[in-house]
């Protein structure tokens, strides 16, 4: 019987430049205020982080321009913060609402630390944000609904935290989103039908939550989807036929839910790129494995029990 950890690791398998610069004198007062806002925001972020085990924030002091601080990347032209990379730095503490004042920020990497507390809704003010990685921390509370205001998001990772309540349906408006992960939280409710609007999505990962209900038919519109993983939830109903017609799929995991019905007999013909499938620990009608599965020449693992 497959382990939850094993499935996650297999999906992982499939699945900053800094611009140091001298602080030049600027005569434009609006620019000065903008740069000062970034500096104050960074210092406020530092003030709420415990970093005894890491040296990453030692450089965050008045002896150098903030664009030279470790983990900070600035634009050449405006000298505004566009990258904040604090991933895997043994950091703890919480995230200050001041993070929402980094108005030029495009990439925020906070994954693989020990951050706690709520995800500040002020992140929704970051209209230029393209990548938000918060995975593998201990964030709690709910996912801010106004994350949808970050309309340029391409990657959004909430995985491996302690988040609760429903997935905001507003996330379905993020038309540029390619990767979306909710793995291993305590999220409830259903998969929002609005996810069918995520036309650029290639990875949808929600393993290990308390999601219920059926897979909405709108998911069938995601013609670029390669990874679809909703194992270890409380989902039910028949597996929609459209799942077996999504020719872009490389892997899908429905393990450990309450799905019923049968696997389609021609699934090996309609899923030519499939490498991994796990439908074990459900309520499928027993029967032979579809003969057409031999046509899925890239298949590495097929788990049905």
């Amino acid at each position: 019987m497959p382990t939850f950890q094993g499935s996650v690791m297999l999906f992982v398998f499939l699945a900053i430049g800094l611009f140091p610069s001298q602080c030049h004198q600027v005569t434009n007062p609006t620019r000065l205020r903008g740069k000062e806002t970034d500096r104050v925001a960074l210092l406020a972020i530092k003030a709420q982080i415990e970093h005894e085990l890491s040296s990453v924030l030692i450089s965050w002091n008045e002896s150098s321009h903030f664009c030279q601080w470790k983990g900070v990347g600035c634009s050449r032209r405006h000298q505004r913060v566009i990258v904040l990379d604090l991933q895997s730095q043994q950091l703890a503490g919480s995230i200050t609402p001041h993070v929402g004042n980094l108005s030029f920020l495009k990439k925020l990497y906070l994954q693989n630390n020990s951050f706690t507390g709520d995800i500040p809704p002020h992140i929704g003010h970051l209209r230029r944000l393209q990548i938000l990685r918060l995975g593998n921390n201990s964030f709690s509370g709910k996912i801010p609904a106004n994350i949808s205001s970050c309309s340029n998001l391409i990657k959004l990772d909430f995985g491996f935290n302690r988040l609760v309540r429903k997935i905001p349906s507003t996330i379905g408006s993020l038309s540029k989103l390619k990767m979306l992960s909710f793995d291993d939280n305590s999220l409830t409710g259903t998969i929002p039908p609005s996810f069918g609007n995520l036309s650029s999505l290639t990875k949808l990962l929600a393993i290990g939550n308390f999601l219920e209900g059926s897979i909405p038919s709108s998911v069938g519109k995601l013609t670029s989807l390669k990874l679809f993983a909703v194992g270890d939830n409380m989902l039910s109903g028949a597996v929609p036929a459209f799942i077996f017609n999504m020719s872009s799929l490389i892997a899908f995991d429905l393990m450990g839910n309450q799905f019923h019905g049968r696997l389609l007999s021609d699934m090996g013909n309609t899923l030519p790129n499939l490498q991994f499938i796990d439908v074990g620990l459900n309520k499928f009608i027993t029967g032979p494995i579809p003969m057409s599965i031999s046509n899925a020449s890239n298949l590495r693992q097929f788990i049905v029990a």
Side-chain angles (χ1 to χ4, degrees):
M1 183 171 63
T3 64
F4 167 71
Q5 183 179 9
S7 294
V8 173
M9 290 304 294
L10 185 53
F11 272 91
V12 170
F13 176 75
L14 292 174
I16 196 175
L18 299 183
F19 299 109
S21 175
Q22 298 295 324
C23 181
H24 299 291
Q25 184 176 359
V26 181
T27 57
N28 187 324
T30 302
R31 275 191 170 184
L32 280 175
R33 285 197 297 271
K35 290 181 180 180
E36 180 65 11
T37 298
D38 283 5
R39 187 185 70 84
V40 170
L42 290 172
L43 291 176
I45 290 170
K46 178 182 178 180
Q48 290 193 213
I49 294 178
E50 302 167 13
H51 52 92
E52 289 85 355
L53 299 178
S54 174
S55 61
V56 66
L57 299 182
I58 291 178
S59 65
W60 290 34
N61 56 61
E62 301 296 341
S63 66
S64 61
H65 190 270
F66 63 78
C67 288
Q68 297 176 325
W69 295 354
K70 188 173 181 180
V72 176
C74 290
S75 60
R76 287 187 181 274
R77 180 178 179 184
H78 299 293
Q79 290 290 280
R80 300 296 300 272
V81 178
I82 58 173
V83 177
L84 182 55
D85 186 354
L86 299 177
Q87 62 179 302
S88 306
Q89 293 294 333
Q90 297 180 290
L91 303 176
S94 59
I95 304 303
T96 175
H98 285 272
V99 70
N101 293 333
L102 297 173
S103 56
F104 278 66
L105 196 65
K106 294 183 178 180
K107 301 177 182 179
L108 178 57
Y109 301 101
L110 299 178
Q111 71 268 35
N112 304 324
N113 285 292
S114 299
F115 289 116
T116 57
D118 292 349
I119 299 171
H122 305 76
I123 287 179
H125 299 163
L126 303 176
R127 305 302 172 87
R128 293 177 170 87
L129 197 62
Q130 298 174 1
I131 297 176
L132 177 59
R133 301 294 300 268
L134 303 179
N136 198 21
N137 281 284
S138 295
F139 288 113
S140 57
K142 62 182 181 179
I143 297 171
N146 72 339
I147 200 73
S148 60
S149 297
C150 304
S151 58
N152 288 300
L153 275 171
I154 297 172
K155 295 183 179 180
L156 184 53
D157 175 16
F158 296 112
F160 297 90
N161 280 288
R162 299 175 181 176
L163 299 171
V164 297
R165 301 179 67 175
K166 295 182 178 180
I167 298 172
S169 61
T170 53
I171 290 177
S173 66
L174 296 172
S175 60
K176 298 179 182 179
L177 205 60
K178 294 184 177 181
M179 188 276 281
L180 179 57
S181 174
F182 304 105
D183 279 348
D184 200 17
N185 281 281
S186 296
L187 298 169
T188 58
T190 60
I191 299 173
S194 62
F195 279 13
N197 298 322
L198 299 175
S199 56
S200 299
L201 200 65
T202 61
K203 300 179 184 179
L204 176 54
L205 311 174
I207 296 173
N209 285 280
F210 298 99
L211 300 177
E212 57 188 6
S214 59
I215 298 173
S217 60
S218 57
V219 172
K221 297 190 296 183
L222 304 181
T223 56
S224 298
L225 198 63
K226 295 182 178 180
L227 271 64
F228 181 59
V230 293
D232 197 20
N233 278 283
M234 299 164 56
L235 297 167
S236 59
V239 177
F242 67 74
I243 288 287
F244 301 102
N245 289 318
M246 301 178 75
S247 59
S248 60
L249 276 179
I250 293 176
F252 73 92
D253 180 358
L254 309 180
M255 179 272 297
N257 284 283
Q258 300 176 40
F259 293 116
H260 63 264
R262 296 178 182 272
L263 300 178
L264 295 190
S265 60
D266 64 344
M267 60 180 293
N269 300 323
T270 57
L271 299 172
N273 298 307
L274 199 63
Q275 297 181 27
F276 172 85
I277 176 173
D278 187 349
V279 294
L281 301 178
N282 279 285
K283 298 181 178 180
F284 289 112
I285 298 172
T286 58
I289 295 174
M291 292 295 293
S292 66
I293 203 68
S294 61
N295 295 324
S297 58
N298 295 315
L299 191 64
R300 300 178 183 177
Q301 193 167 5
F302 185 11
I303 303 170
V304 294

